Amino acid sequence: MKLTEAVNAVEEALPLRRFEHTMRVAETAGELASKYGGDADAVQMAAVLHDYAKYRDPEEMLQEINRSGMFAYDIEGYGTEILHAFAGALLVEKELNIRSSVILQAIASHTTGRAGMSLEEKIVFLADYIEPGRTFPGAEKAREASRHSLEAGCLEACAETIRFLSGRRLPIFPHTFEAYNEFAFMQLSER
Ligand code: GDP
Ligand code: FE
Ligand code: FE
Protein backbone atom coordinates (compact mmCIF):
# COMPACT_ATOMS: atom_id res chain seq x y z
CA MET A 1 0.00 0.00 0.00
CA LYS A 2 1.28 3.46 -0.89
CA LEU A 3 1.50 6.14 1.80
CA THR A 4 -1.15 8.29 0.05
CA GLU A 5 -3.55 5.31 0.06
CA ALA A 6 -2.94 4.85 3.78
CA VAL A 7 -3.64 8.56 4.35
CA ASN A 8 -6.93 8.17 2.45
CA ALA A 9 -7.86 5.09 4.49
CA VAL A 10 -7.33 6.83 7.83
CA GLU A 11 -9.07 9.99 6.64
CA GLU A 12 -12.12 7.80 6.04
CA ALA A 13 -11.74 5.90 9.33
CA LEU A 14 -11.26 8.90 11.62
CA PRO A 15 -13.05 12.14 12.54
CA LEU A 16 -11.30 15.29 11.31
CA ARG A 17 -9.65 16.20 14.64
CA ARG A 18 -8.15 12.74 14.99
CA PHE A 19 -7.03 12.79 11.37
CA GLU A 20 -5.28 16.12 11.98
CA HIS A 21 -3.57 14.64 15.06
CA THR A 22 -2.45 11.73 12.86
CA MET A 23 -0.89 14.08 10.30
CA ARG A 24 0.99 15.93 13.07
CA VAL A 25 2.25 12.60 14.46
CA ALA A 26 3.52 11.71 10.97
CA GLU A 27 5.31 15.05 10.68
CA THR A 28 6.85 14.79 14.17
CA ALA A 29 7.86 11.16 13.54
CA GLY A 30 9.56 12.26 10.30
CA GLU A 31 11.57 14.84 12.23
CA LEU A 32 12.60 12.27 14.85
CA ALA A 33 13.58 9.77 12.14
CA SER A 34 15.77 12.29 10.37
CA LYS A 35 17.49 13.08 13.68
CA TYR A 36 17.73 9.57 15.13
CA GLY A 37 17.59 7.25 12.11
CA GLY A 38 15.41 4.18 11.58
CA ASP A 39 13.48 3.09 8.50
CA ALA A 40 11.90 6.42 7.52
CA ASP A 41 9.30 4.86 5.19
CA ALA A 42 8.17 2.37 7.84
CA VAL A 43 8.01 5.17 10.42
CA GLN A 44 5.81 7.28 8.09
CA MET A 45 3.45 4.41 7.37
CA ALA A 46 3.18 3.41 11.05
CA ALA A 47 2.58 7.03 12.11
CA VAL A 48 -0.17 7.48 9.52
CA LEU A 49 -1.88 4.23 10.57
CA HIS A 50 -1.23 4.33 14.34
CA ASP A 51 -4.78 5.33 15.38
CA TYR A 52 -6.56 3.46 12.55
CA ALA A 53 -8.68 1.45 15.03
CA LYS A 54 -9.33 4.30 17.51
CA TYR A 55 -13.08 4.43 16.85
CA ARG A 56 -13.82 0.72 16.57
CA ASP A 57 -16.16 -1.00 18.98
CA PRO A 58 -14.15 -2.06 22.09
CA GLU A 59 -15.95 -5.43 22.25
CA GLU A 60 -14.95 -6.20 18.67
CA MET A 61 -11.37 -5.09 19.30
CA LEU A 62 -11.15 -7.29 22.38
CA GLN A 63 -12.47 -10.26 20.40
CA GLU A 64 -9.94 -9.62 17.64
CA ILE A 65 -7.09 -9.42 20.17
CA ASN A 66 -8.20 -12.54 22.04
CA ARG A 67 -8.61 -14.49 18.79
CA SER A 68 -5.09 -13.53 17.70
CA GLY A 69 -3.42 -15.07 20.76
CA MET A 70 -1.30 -11.91 21.01
CA PHE A 71 -1.46 -12.11 24.81
CA ALA A 72 -1.38 -15.19 27.00
CA TYR A 73 -3.48 -13.36 29.61
CA ASP A 74 -6.75 -11.44 29.57
CA ILE A 75 -6.16 -7.74 28.91
CA GLU A 76 -9.80 -6.70 29.36
CA GLY A 77 -9.34 -5.24 32.85
CA TYR A 78 -6.84 -2.64 31.64
CA GLY A 79 -9.57 -0.55 30.06
CA THR A 80 -10.69 0.19 26.53
CA GLU A 81 -8.13 2.94 25.74
CA ILE A 82 -5.25 0.55 25.07
CA LEU A 83 -7.21 -1.76 22.76
CA HIS A 84 -6.95 0.39 19.63
CA ALA A 85 -3.16 -0.04 19.49
CA PHE A 86 -3.18 -3.85 19.51
CA ALA A 87 -6.35 -4.12 17.41
CA GLY A 88 -4.96 -1.48 15.04
CA ALA A 89 -1.98 -3.69 14.19
CA LEU A 90 -4.26 -6.68 13.59
CA LEU A 91 -6.77 -4.70 11.52
CA VAL A 92 -4.32 -2.92 9.23
CA GLU A 93 -2.81 -6.32 8.46
CA LYS A 94 -6.23 -7.83 7.76
CA GLU A 95 -7.98 -4.90 6.08
CA LEU A 96 -5.14 -2.93 4.44
CA ASN A 97 -2.80 -5.85 3.81
CA ILE A 98 0.12 -4.28 5.69
CA ARG A 99 2.71 -7.03 6.20
CA SER A 100 5.79 -5.24 7.52
CA SER A 101 6.48 -6.38 11.09
CA VAL A 102 8.30 -3.08 11.72
CA ILE A 103 5.11 -1.15 10.90
CA LEU A 104 2.74 -3.55 12.68
CA GLN A 105 4.85 -3.59 15.85
CA ALA A 106 5.10 0.21 15.95
CA ILE A 107 1.29 0.47 15.75
CA ALA A 108 0.83 -2.22 18.43
CA SER A 109 3.13 -0.56 20.98
CA HIS A 110 2.22 3.09 20.36
CA THR A 111 -0.04 3.47 23.43
CA THR A 112 1.64 1.38 26.14
CA GLY A 113 5.19 1.12 24.85
CA ARG A 114 7.08 -2.04 25.79
CA ALA A 115 10.57 -3.10 26.80
CA GLY A 116 12.85 -3.70 23.85
CA MET A 117 11.18 -1.30 21.42
CA SER A 118 12.85 -0.90 18.04
CA LEU A 119 14.03 2.52 16.88
CA GLU A 120 10.88 2.82 14.75
CA GLU A 121 8.62 1.89 17.68
CA LYS A 122 10.24 4.47 19.96
CA ILE A 123 9.82 7.14 17.29
CA VAL A 124 6.09 6.51 16.79
CA PHE A 125 5.49 6.12 20.54
CA LEU A 126 7.22 9.42 21.27
CA ALA A 127 5.80 11.32 18.27
CA ASP A 128 2.26 10.43 19.41
CA TYR A 129 3.11 11.94 22.81
CA ILE A 130 4.88 15.14 21.74
CA GLU A 131 3.16 16.20 18.49
CA PRO A 132 2.53 19.98 18.61
CA GLY A 133 -1.18 19.56 19.39
CA ARG A 134 -0.44 17.88 22.75
CA THR A 135 -0.88 20.34 25.59
CA PHE A 136 -1.17 18.00 28.57
CA PRO A 137 1.29 18.26 31.47
CA GLY A 138 4.48 16.46 30.59
CA ALA A 139 4.31 16.97 26.83
CA GLU A 140 6.72 19.92 26.93
CA LYS A 141 9.11 18.09 29.24
CA ALA A 142 9.07 15.08 26.90
CA ARG A 143 9.67 17.41 23.91
CA GLU A 144 12.63 18.93 25.70
CA ALA A 145 14.06 15.51 26.65
CA SER A 146 13.58 14.22 23.11
CA ARG A 147 16.05 16.84 21.90
CA HIS A 148 18.65 15.07 24.08
CA SER A 149 17.77 11.49 23.12
CA LEU A 150 14.89 9.31 21.98
CA GLU A 151 15.17 7.27 25.18
CA ALA A 152 15.10 10.34 27.43
CA GLY A 153 11.92 11.45 25.64
CA CYS A 154 10.34 8.01 25.99
CA LEU A 155 11.25 7.96 29.71
CA GLU A 156 9.33 11.22 30.23
CA ALA A 157 6.34 9.89 28.29
CA CYS A 158 6.26 6.64 30.31
CA ALA A 159 6.77 8.42 33.64
CA GLU A 160 3.99 10.93 32.98
CA THR A 161 1.59 8.25 31.72
CA ILE A 162 2.18 6.21 34.89
CA ARG A 163 1.73 9.35 37.03
CA PHE A 164 -1.49 10.24 35.18
CA LEU A 165 -2.99 6.76 35.43
CA SER A 166 -1.93 6.07 39.03
CA GLY A 167 -3.27 9.51 40.00
CA ARG A 168 -6.68 8.33 38.82
CA ARG A 169 -6.17 4.92 40.43
CA LEU A 170 -6.47 3.26 37.03
CA PRO A 171 -4.80 -0.05 36.18
CA ILE A 172 -1.52 0.25 34.31
CA PHE A 173 -0.61 -2.19 31.59
CA PRO A 174 2.58 -4.15 32.47
CA HIS A 175 4.29 -3.12 29.21
CA THR A 176 4.20 0.51 30.34
CA PHE A 177 6.10 -0.34 33.55
CA GLU A 178 8.57 -2.51 31.65
CA ALA A 179 9.26 0.27 29.16
CA TYR A 180 9.61 2.80 31.99
CA ASN A 181 12.13 0.59 33.82
CA GLU A 182 14.20 0.03 30.70
CA PHE A 183 14.49 3.76 30.02
CA ALA A 184 15.08 4.55 33.71
CA PHE A 185 17.92 2.00 33.89
CA MET A 186 19.41 3.54 30.77
CA GLN A 187 19.29 7.02 32.26
CA LEU A 188 20.91 5.84 35.52
CA SER A 189 23.77 4.16 33.68
CA GLU A 190 24.46 7.42 31.84
CA ARG A 191 24.94 9.44 35.01
P1 GDP B 1 -4.16 8.74 21.29
O1 GDP B 1 -4.72 7.46 20.74
O2 GDP B 1 -3.49 9.57 20.22
O3 GDP B 1 -5.18 9.54 22.06
O4 GDP B 1 -2.99 8.38 22.33
P2 GDP B 1 -2.67 6.95 22.99
O5 GDP B 1 -2.73 5.88 21.97
O6 GDP B 1 -1.38 7.13 23.74
O7 GDP B 1 -3.84 6.71 23.99
C1 GDP B 1 -3.95 7.53 25.11
C2 GDP B 1 -4.85 6.92 26.15
O8 GDP B 1 -4.40 5.63 26.58
C3 GDP B 1 -4.89 7.80 27.37
O9 GDP B 1 -6.23 7.88 27.83
C4 GDP B 1 -4.01 7.07 28.34
O10 GDP B 1 -4.36 7.37 29.66
C5 GDP B 1 -4.27 5.63 27.98
N1 GDP B 1 -3.18 4.72 28.36
C6 GDP B 1 -1.87 4.80 27.97
N2 GDP B 1 -1.13 3.83 28.54
C7 GDP B 1 -1.98 3.11 29.32
C8 GDP B 1 -1.82 1.98 30.20
O11 GDP B 1 -0.75 1.41 30.42
N3 GDP B 1 -2.96 1.54 30.82
C9 GDP B 1 -4.18 2.13 30.64
N4 GDP B 1 -5.23 1.66 31.27
N5 GDP B 1 -4.35 3.19 29.83
C10 GDP B 1 -3.28 3.68 29.18
FE1 FE C 1 -3.47 5.98 19.95
FE1 FE D 1 -2.44 9.00 18.48
Side-chain angles (χ1 to χ4, degrees), residues 18 21-22 25 47 50-51 54 84 110-111 128-129 131 134:
R18 178 64 47 177
H21 155 73
T22 294
V25 173
H50 83 281
D51 276 338
K54 186 85 180 178
H84 74 283
H110 89 263
T111 302
D128 188 31
Y129 202 81
E131 63 92 349
R134 299 297 207 191

Side-chain angles (χ1 to χ4, degrees), residues 82-99:
I82 66 170
L83 300 177
H84 74 283
F86 309 124
L90 297 168
L91 291 173
V92 301
E93 181 172 19
K94 197 160 100 174
E95 297 174 2
L96 307 180
N97 215 18
I98 302 291
R99 290 292 155 80

